Amino acid sequence: MCSVGGPMVDIDLKKVTSRKCKCLDCGNEFKGVGKKVRCPSCQSENVECSE
C-alpha cells in the first residue's frame, strides 16, 4: 500500500460499484467510480455515465 500521509481510509473494493462512462469531449469509454468522474484520457469532466 502506498500513502502520502493523511488519514488512512479502509475501502472494500468488492463493495465499490463502477459505472460505464463516456467522455463527451474525446469519446473515450471507461468505467467510472464516484460522484465526480473525470475522463482518464483527456481529464475532462464533461462525462456521461449510466446508472
Side-chain angles (χ1 to χ4, degrees), residues 15-35:
K15 293 182 180 179
V16 175
T17 58
S18 62
R19 298 177 293 166
K20 186 175 180 179
C21 300
K22 181 175 182 177
C23 178
L24 300 179
D25 288 336
C26 73
N28 183 34
E29 293 185 6
F30 57 96
K31 291 182 180 178
V33 175
K35 295 179 183 175

Side-chain angles (χ1 to χ4, degrees), residues 3 26 39 45 50:
S3 176
C26 73
C39 175
E45 293 181 359
S50 63

Side-chain angles (χ1 to χ4, degrees), residues 33-44:
V33 175
K35 295 179 183 175
K36 195 171 186 178
V37 178
R38 183 176 289 207
C39 175
S41 179
C42 70
Q43 306 302 314
S44 172

